[in-house]
Amino acid sequence: MSGGVDSSVVAALAHAAGCEAVGITLQLYDQGAAARRPGACCAGADIRDARSVAERLGIAHYVVDMESRFRESVIDNFVDSYARGLTPVPCVECNKTVKFTDLHALARDLGAEALLTGHYVQRLPCAERGDAHGELHRAADPTKDQSYFLWATTQAQLDYLRFPLGGLAKTETRALAQAFGLVVAAKPDSQDICFVPGGDYAAVVERIRPELASPGTIVDEQGRVLGRHNGIHRFTVGQRRGLDIGGQAEPLYVVGIDAAAGNVIAGPRRSLAVAAVRLEGLNRLGPGDGPLMVKVRSMAPLAPARLDGDWLLFDTPQYGVAPGQAAVAYVGDRLVLGGTMVETRRATAEAELSNA
């Protein structure tokens, strides 16, 4: 129970169904800092909201201090990724470690039959293996679907997890919160990474690793100097704003980051085209055959693709695929086949694709 409307409604649904529900809130970072800003989760006022909901429902509620674990597994990884020129997805790391590993273990220790969360995804019975083994599917409401952030879930975790909101629209969730009389019914959704106030991730990076705020060079794809920057952590592949380079024949984008040299590489939009991603460390969730669709960013549309050995080849080039992000594969447009962190390859020539 993060203190938001989604997990609060899940607790209310479980209680209404006659389950012996226990609410667990993870304190993930400094409560004092978080209490001074709205839209956070797992700290400050949000812990008080979760406790208030539990009291309203008459269920047990526990707050577990996971601040050290969260810093080591999520925040430090977030900062280190930017130092290496990558664009991390901290929600994936949080789900993979703190929530679906540590919280999963805690639920088991408490003797719980299942772990329920407020994620907008669906766990459906596996057609080939029956009800005992679940499949991960996209949410019924595609605008709220969170399956991109859950690709690292293991089959054992999925079999223990339940996602009661996966078949609902957010308006329906809020209506349920109102019907249950929950104080969070009208609480706004957080728009930021929970530990990044106001979306200023560069400030978080610099506070932990101040040496990263070092000036460097912006170069073109041939290595010619175009300008200067104030730290590679302020840039991500596909970015256009912030380069501040004028007098070019066409708009420039960040097409690469050379962390070792401290260089940001700029080029035209066509240089962002990615024809394939290498499948290294693919986490595969259950069986599945059929046409593949792939997401290469959380807000990107599904794109058709095909497997070729260790490579996933796109039918049409994808743009702005940043190293450190994930490629999540779906069978059709619903069933999550699996995912991996990606290594990209540019679409330059047909011969290059055929040799990929």
Side-chain angles (χ1 to χ4, degrees):
M1 296 181 67
S2 66
V5 63
D6 297 327
S7 57
S8 297
V9 168
V10 167
L13 289 171
H15 179 65
C19 300
E20 183 184 353
V22 176
I24 303 293
T25 298
L26 305 179
Q27 182 203 321
L28 300 182
Y29 46 91
D30 179 67
Q31 288 180 294
R36 293 191 294 271
R37 64 181 179 86
C41 72
C42 307
D46 300 280
I47 291 179
R48 293 196 293 273
D49 286 343
R51 182 178 292 118
S52 176
V53 169
E55 290 174 352
R56 164 73 178 173
L57 299 174
I59 66 173
H61 177 251
Y62 302 99
V63 178
V64 181
D65 184 354
M66 298 290 288
E67 187 171 341
S68 295
R69 169 69 160 153
F70 185 72
R71 169 176 281 276
E72 294 169 1
S73 301
V74 181
I75 298 179
D76 287 350
N77 179 75
F78 178 82
V79 173
D80 290 344
S81 293
Y82 275 109
R84 292 185 289 130
L86 306 177
T87 304
V89 191
C91 292
V92 170
E93 291 301 317
C94 184
N95 289 326
K96 183 170 66 173
T97 57
V98 176
K99 291 181 179 175
F100 288 177
T101 297
D102 300 338
L103 184 55
H104 180 276
L106 176 59
R108 291 283 193 185
D109 289 342
L110 290 173
E113 295 181 14
L115 174 61
L116 285 66
T117 84
H119 289 96
Y120 283 86
V121 292
Q122 299 183 85
R123 177 194 178 277
L124 301 178
C126 178
E128 296 184 18
R129 295 181 295 170
D131 292 352
H133 296 287
E135 293 178 342
L136 187 63
H137 289 244
R138 296 178 75 205
D141 181 355
T143 66
K144 295 300 295 180
D145 174 59
Q146 294 174 294
S147 60
Y148 179 86
F149 302 107
L150 300 181
W151 63 264
T153 306
T154 68
Q155 186 64 60
Q157 290 167 350
L158 184 59
D159 292 343
Y160 189 60
L161 287 160
R162 301 295 185 271
F163 307 105
L165 306 185
L168 302 180
K170 188 58 178 268
T171 53
E172 295 174 294
T173 300
R174 290 198 181 278
L176 284 170
Q178 189 71 41
F180 284 122
L182 305 182
V183 296
V184 296
K187 188 173 183 177
D189 293 338
S190 175
Q191 300 300 315
D192 300 325
I193 299 171
C194 66
F195 59 91
V196 181
D200 189 1
Y201 75 89
V204 173
V205 172
E206 291 171 12
R207 185 174 69 247
I208 297 173
R209 296 276 299 274
E211 74 276 9
L212 295 179
S214 301
T217 304
I218 302 174
V219 300
D220 66 13
E221 294 173 280
Q222 289 71 46
R224 293 186 293 262
V225 175
L226 300 175
R228 301 283 291 173
H229 65 76
N230 292 319
I232 61 170
H233 64 290
R234 294 180 172 273
F235 298 87
T236 184
V237 170
Q239 179 177 333
R240 181 178 174 186
R241 296 181 62 182
L243 286 172
D244 296 328
I245 299 171
Q248 302 298 310
E250 54 188 315
L252 295 181
Y253 298 78
V254 176
V255 300
I257 298 174
D258 184 345
N263 290 341
V264 173
I265 305 168
R269 184 177 183 275
R270 60 180 174 275
S271 294
L272 290 171
V274 170
V277 294
R278 185 186 293 277
L279 299 179
E280 294 185 350
L282 174 68
N283 181 58
R284 184 170 181 130
L285 276 172
D289 296 303
L292 291 183
M293 303 291 284
V294 177
K295 261 184 177 286
V296 291
R297 299 183 310 282
S298 62
M299 300 302 292
L302 289 169
R306 56 190 171 86
L307 286 170
D308 184 6
D310 292 335
W311 288 86
L312 188 66
L313 307 182
F314 299 111
D315 289 5
T316 57
Q318 299 299 296
Y319 289 82
V321 184
Q325 297 281 293
V328 181
Y330 301 79
V331 178
D333 64 352
R334 288 292 173 185
L335 171 63
V336 180
L337 178 63
T340 183
M341 307 310 289
V342 304
E343 177 181 321
T344 63
R345 187 182 184 90
R346 291 180 183 171
T348 54
E350 195 65 28
E352 183 179 358
L353 273 178
S354 64
N355 294 326

